[in-house]
Amino acid sequence: MQNQPHAAPLAAGKGLTMPKMLGVAAFLAFVFAAVPMFIAATGRWDFYYTLTSVALLSIGAAGVWLTFYIGRINIGQGAYALAGGYVSAVLITQAGVSFWLTLPLAGLFCALISVLIGLPILRLRGVYFAMVTLVLTEVARLTALALPVTNGAKGITSIPLPGGVSVFGITLIPDFATLQNPRQAFYFAAIGLMILVYVILWRIVNSRLGHLCRSLQQNEELSASIGVNTAWLRIMAYAISSFFGGVAGAMFVSISQSIYPSSFVVQDSVNFMLYCFLGGLGYVFGPMLGTLLLYFGWDLLSVAGKYQLLIYSGAMITLMLVLPNGVLSLFDRKGGGK
Amino acid sequence: MSPILEIRNVTKKFGGLTANNDISFDVAPGEILSVIGPNGAGKSTLFKQIAGFEKPTTGEVRFKGERISGLAPHRVARLGVVRTFQETTIFRSMTVRENVIVSHHLRSRASLLGYFLGTATARADEAEFARSADEIIDFLGLGAIRDELASNLPQGHLRALGMAIGLATQPQVILLDEPFAGMNHDETMRMVALVRRLRDERGVTVLLVEHDMPAVMKISDRIVCINFGEKIAEGSPAEIQANPRVIEAYLGSEDAAIGM
């Protein structure tokens, strides 16, 4: 997955051309066959957990990227990840709802509250919007501490693993508790979810919907005067973004089987944004690559001991100076655009 | 003929400042009407109120008898009154063609979800927008630069692109904010011809704000002059040139300003 074989061809333009399809096929073969084989051969089972985290974080980052795409700096995805996680946890432990059903429900819940929050705050632009979203994560944490249903600082623990799903006696998803290797199952589930999210995102960006979002990003006034309902479009994009955040949060909770008010903090919100910056705001697959690079980059730098943060921050600053359009701009020979 | 646009006693106050004071005039269908006045006279404010970007403090704007002042800009645009911008506002990091295609929004029949799913209606829309965009681009003589990034264009082309964006919405009334600003004589004359064709070939009613007096005199059917937020004169170019209040408003540079 480190090579991101699909990234360059997919970044080049729209429409499914032959090299792109080959790239996608190579990517699928890599994540679903090569990675499991590599892990089985080396016995590094912990890689599953790492890659699962990357996949889930990149789902959240996909949402943040979409808000960037309409011209808003979103530093509040942690709030929705936390909210989604709690919705899933509460529904599973208190209402006995199947985890797989809580996944979309967590997303919908987040989309709904993001509409309520977005109505007033999406009028703000630039740094003002960014500041409000930054505060959102802290508000979400304090809310989780205060509400009775979230069980305060003790959080919700011992959440059962996802159960099985079967239709007409055919098992679609096995019960995770009966699996001898739930890590691998989570990996496949997370990767599947990530692919689904990025297919949706890719489709949004390359349909007329995406062009309207770009018009919003570049000039909201002009966008309104050509007849675009800008307020509605902003809310839509923000709701989809928060939906992704909620889904990612819910999936995280099922893996750690617990959630606390501090499960997602301001640092996570900032990270979601950094993943987008690093990968490239002009590229659909930017947040995916950004998440991978930053997540592994941080881990690899642990050899530097106490200098880890210093080197990491220095590298980030350098990257933003040298590659303001993100790492994916390296592959983009046209310069600019998707 | 009943007016297509009626400006009725429009007053706009920003705190203690009165930008427009009790301005009224009518615009007939198929007319080219210019609003002139010295800097800060309140012309742009008036335009913003017609296009829905500002709400009049009192008074109203009617389009075909229907009140449009106070509606959101996209609703006004939907009815057929579209504004282009003073500061050559365009979608900078799109190509000329993309700019025009995206501006066909008002004509879309598919829903946003339809575009996401790529339904037959959505695909038909997209094909139609592309065709219509090419037609508008050719009409405005932008064919040679259709795939150029908008941020790379020179001033004159930007102005034409702004007009193309406006045309893509199929307006009945187009508001042009200083279409000749910063242009040399040749460019201005080309633009004047273009605005005429807009009206003659496409039947669009044109309302424009402009400083370039020779161009205004050449192009306008009628002129409304405002000064310090108040309408001081209204009439044909010849009447405006002879109007003592207009001359007074431009005093000190009357010959140059009125261009005679």
Side-chain angles (χ1 to χ4, degrees), chain A residues 211-212 214-226 228, chain B residues 88-96 98-100 102-103 149-151 161 165:
Chain A
H211 297 248
L212 293 176
R214 274 172 77 202
S215 81
L216 211 58
Q217 175 202 54
Q218 292 177 24
N219 199 320
E220 284 190 15
E221 272 200 316
L222 182 58
S223 195
S225 63
I226 60 167
V228 178
Chain B
T88 59
T89 307
I90 35 105
F91 301 121
R92 297 189 66 79
S93 31
M94 294 188 194
T95 66
V96 168
E98 283 175 325
N99 261 285
V100 185
V102 82
S103 308
L149 214 53
S151 53
L161 177 56
I165 291 173

XYZ file of all heavy atoms in Angstrom, chain A residues 211-212 214-226 228, chain B residues 88-96 98-100 102-103 149-151 161 165:
271
model
N -18.362 20.041 -10.075
C -18.096 21.306 -10.749
C -18.781 22.447 -9.993
O -18.242 23.542 -9.875
C -18.587 21.258 -12.197
C -17.871 20.226 -13.000
N -17.017 20.537 -14.019
C -17.845 18.881 -12.904
C -16.513 19.421 -14.524
N -17.004 18.412 -13.865
N -19.965 22.159 -9.484
C -20.667 23.185 -8.712
C -19.911 23.476 -7.428
O -19.787 24.633 -7.009
C -22.099 22.733 -8.409
C -23.013 22.632 -9.625
C -24.375 22.085 -9.234
C -23.170 23.983 -10.306
N -16.736 23.227 -7.038
C -15.571 24.026 -7.414
C -15.969 25.474 -7.649
O -15.215 26.395 -7.328
C -14.933 23.460 -8.683
C -13.948 22.358 -8.396
C -13.522 21.734 -9.697
N -12.548 22.553 -10.417
C -12.349 22.435 -11.724
N -13.053 21.592 -12.432
N -11.433 23.165 -12.302
N -17.137 25.677 -8.247
C -17.575 27.049 -8.491
C -17.746 27.769 -7.156
O -17.436 28.940 -7.015
C -18.874 27.070 -9.295
O -19.998 26.842 -8.474
N -18.197 27.017 -6.168
C -18.396 27.575 -4.829
C -17.051 27.932 -4.201
O -16.889 28.987 -3.593
C -19.080 26.502 -3.983
C -19.997 26.949 -2.893
C -21.094 27.796 -3.478
C -20.602 25.719 -2.223
N -16.090 27.034 -4.392
C -14.768 27.233 -3.819
C -14.108 28.470 -4.418
O -13.456 29.230 -3.735
C -13.935 25.986 -4.107
C -12.487 26.048 -3.693
C -11.662 25.058 -4.473
O -11.663 25.020 -5.693
N -10.972 24.190 -3.757
N -14.332 28.675 -5.711
C -13.600 29.740 -6.388
C -14.281 31.096 -6.269
O -13.606 32.123 -6.266
C -13.398 29.382 -7.852
C -12.453 28.209 -7.986
C -12.280 27.781 -9.419
O -12.474 28.561 -10.326
N -11.936 26.536 -9.608
N -15.595 31.115 -6.215
C -16.274 32.402 -6.115
C -17.739 32.224 -5.731
O -18.584 31.966 -6.581
C -16.169 33.128 -7.448
C -16.434 34.595 -7.285
O -17.322 34.983 -6.542
N -15.673 35.407 -7.967
N -18.018 32.370 -4.455
C -19.375 32.097 -3.990
C -20.392 33.080 -4.551
O -21.515 32.700 -4.873
C -19.423 32.130 -2.459
C -18.824 30.892 -1.858
C -19.067 30.789 -0.372
O -19.926 31.520 0.144
O -18.398 29.974 0.257
N -19.992 34.345 -4.681
C -20.939 35.350 -5.183
C -21.346 35.046 -6.612
O -22.521 35.081 -6.966
C -20.304 36.728 -5.119
C -20.511 37.427 -3.805
C -20.306 38.916 -3.960
O -19.332 39.294 -4.615
O -21.133 39.671 -3.435
N -20.347 34.739 -7.430
C -20.639 34.443 -8.826
C -21.479 33.174 -8.917
O -22.416 33.083 -9.706
C -19.339 34.287 -9.614
C -19.508 34.030 -11.110
C -20.287 35.162 -11.745
C -18.160 33.895 -11.780
N -21.146 32.229 -8.073
C -21.879 30.981 -8.044
C -23.364 31.244 -7.771
O -24.239 30.670 -8.419
C -21.275 30.084 -6.966
O -21.708 28.786 -7.117
N -23.611 32.138 -6.816
C -25.011 32.467 -6.510
C -25.662 33.176 -7.684
O -26.831 32.953 -7.994
C -25.074 33.351 -5.270
N -24.887 34.012 -8.385
C -25.544 34.786 -9.435
C -25.753 33.969 -10.703
O -26.508 34.384 -11.570
C -24.796 36.083 -9.719
O -23.522 35.806 -10.198
N -25.114 32.797 -10.824
C -25.510 31.927 -11.930
C -26.623 30.976 -11.494
O -26.980 30.054 -12.214
C -24.334 31.118 -12.523
C -23.706 30.230 -11.458
C -23.312 32.027 -13.162
C -22.760 29.196 -12.022
N -26.883 29.111 -8.496
C -26.622 27.996 -7.589
C -27.112 28.376 -6.190
O -26.827 29.464 -5.708
C -25.118 27.663 -7.537
C -24.843 26.540 -6.568
C -24.611 27.306 -8.918
N -14.394 41.804 -12.736
C -14.185 40.696 -13.676
C -14.158 39.358 -12.948
O -13.203 38.596 -13.022
C -12.866 40.857 -14.449
O -11.805 40.894 -13.510
C -12.890 42.098 -15.283
N -15.227 39.117 -12.239
C -15.312 37.920 -11.435
C -15.599 36.709 -12.306
O -16.593 36.674 -13.021
C -16.438 38.100 -10.410
O -16.203 39.299 -9.714
C -16.469 36.951 -9.451
N -14.735 35.726 -12.230
C -14.914 34.489 -12.985
C -14.419 33.341 -12.104
O -13.904 33.576 -11.026
C -14.113 34.509 -14.309
C -12.810 35.264 -14.109
C -14.895 35.156 -15.431
C -11.622 34.442 -14.025
N -14.599 32.131 -12.547
C -14.038 30.992 -11.819
C -12.608 30.809 -12.316
O -12.368 30.257 -13.380
C -14.877 29.746 -12.043
C -16.304 29.915 -11.607
C -17.348 29.749 -12.491
C -16.599 30.258 -10.296
C -18.658 29.913 -12.085
C -17.914 30.423 -9.887
C -18.943 30.255 -10.781
N -11.650 31.283 -11.534
C -10.280 31.446 -12.017
C -9.591 30.151 -12.398
O -8.878 30.108 -13.395
C -9.441 32.164 -10.953
C -9.922 33.548 -10.656
C -8.936 34.280 -9.764
N -7.682 34.510 -10.454
C -7.507 35.478 -11.326
N -8.492 36.283 -11.625
N -6.346 35.644 -11.894
N -9.764 29.105 -11.608
C -9.015 27.895 -11.963
C -9.851 26.897 -12.748
O -9.698 25.700 -12.602
C -8.346 27.277 -10.742
O -9.085 27.516 -9.588
N -10.731 27.418 -13.577
C -11.408 26.566 -14.552
C -11.053 27.105 -15.930
O -10.709 28.276 -16.077
C -12.921 26.646 -14.390
C -13.480 26.087 -13.107
S -15.283 26.036 -13.191
C -15.688 25.767 -11.485
N -11.190 26.248 -16.939
C -10.958 26.741 -18.288
C -12.168 27.570 -18.714
O -13.210 27.551 -18.058
C -10.784 25.596 -19.291
O -12.026 24.903 -19.388
C -9.690 24.635 -18.862
N -12.001 28.295 -19.831
C -13.096 29.112 -20.342
C -14.342 28.254 -20.535
O -15.444 28.602 -20.114
C -12.668 29.756 -21.683
C -13.860 30.375 -22.386
C -11.599 30.798 -21.428
N -15.110 25.345 -19.198
C -15.664 24.869 -17.920
C -16.461 25.964 -17.233
O -17.520 25.716 -16.652
C -14.533 24.397 -16.992
C -13.966 23.049 -17.348
C -12.775 22.667 -16.480
O -11.983 23.558 -16.102
O -12.632 21.480 -16.198
N -15.935 27.185 -17.297
C -16.642 28.323 -16.730
C -18.049 28.435 -17.302
O -19.026 28.603 -16.578
C -15.895 29.622 -17.067
C -15.033 30.118 -15.936
O -15.525 30.647 -14.968
N -13.741 29.915 -16.064
N -18.134 28.343 -18.624
C -19.429 28.530 -19.264
C -20.333 27.321 -19.010
O -21.529 27.472 -18.769
C -19.245 28.784 -20.772
C -20.587 29.104 -21.415
C -18.291 29.937 -20.991
N -20.361 25.260 -16.432
C -20.869 25.199 -15.058
C -21.966 26.251 -14.852
O -22.891 26.066 -14.064
C -19.722 25.363 -14.029
C -19.357 26.809 -13.815
C -20.103 24.723 -12.707
N -21.892 27.324 -15.626
C -22.866 28.402 -15.453
C -24.242 28.090 -16.038
O -25.152 28.898 -15.932
C -22.335 29.688 -16.088
O -21.053 29.948 -15.593
N -6.942 28.348 -19.263
C -7.335 28.552 -17.874
C -7.727 30.027 -17.686
O -7.019 30.920 -18.127
C -6.159 28.206 -16.961
C -6.474 27.581 -15.618
C -7.355 26.352 -15.786
C -5.191 27.205 -14.910
N -8.854 30.257 -17.034
C -9.375 31.626 -16.940
C -8.384 32.581 -16.291
O -8.313 33.753 -16.657
C -10.689 31.617 -16.171
N -7.599 32.082 -15.337
C -6.676 32.982 -14.638
C -5.561 33.487 -15.560
O -4.857 34.424 -15.223
C -6.074 32.276 -13.421
O -5.504 31.052 -13.799
N -15.674 36.760 -21.074
C -15.995 35.520 -20.372
C -17.081 35.772 -19.328
O -18.008 34.974 -19.175
C -14.742 34.943 -19.708
C -14.947 33.681 -18.886
C -15.589 32.584 -19.715
C -13.637 33.178 -18.306
N -20.593 33.846 -19.092
C -21.153 33.226 -17.892
C -22.583 33.713 -17.686
O -23.492 32.928 -17.416
C -20.270 33.546 -16.659
C -18.931 32.823 -16.774
C -20.975 33.173 -15.368
C -17.929 33.203 -15.706
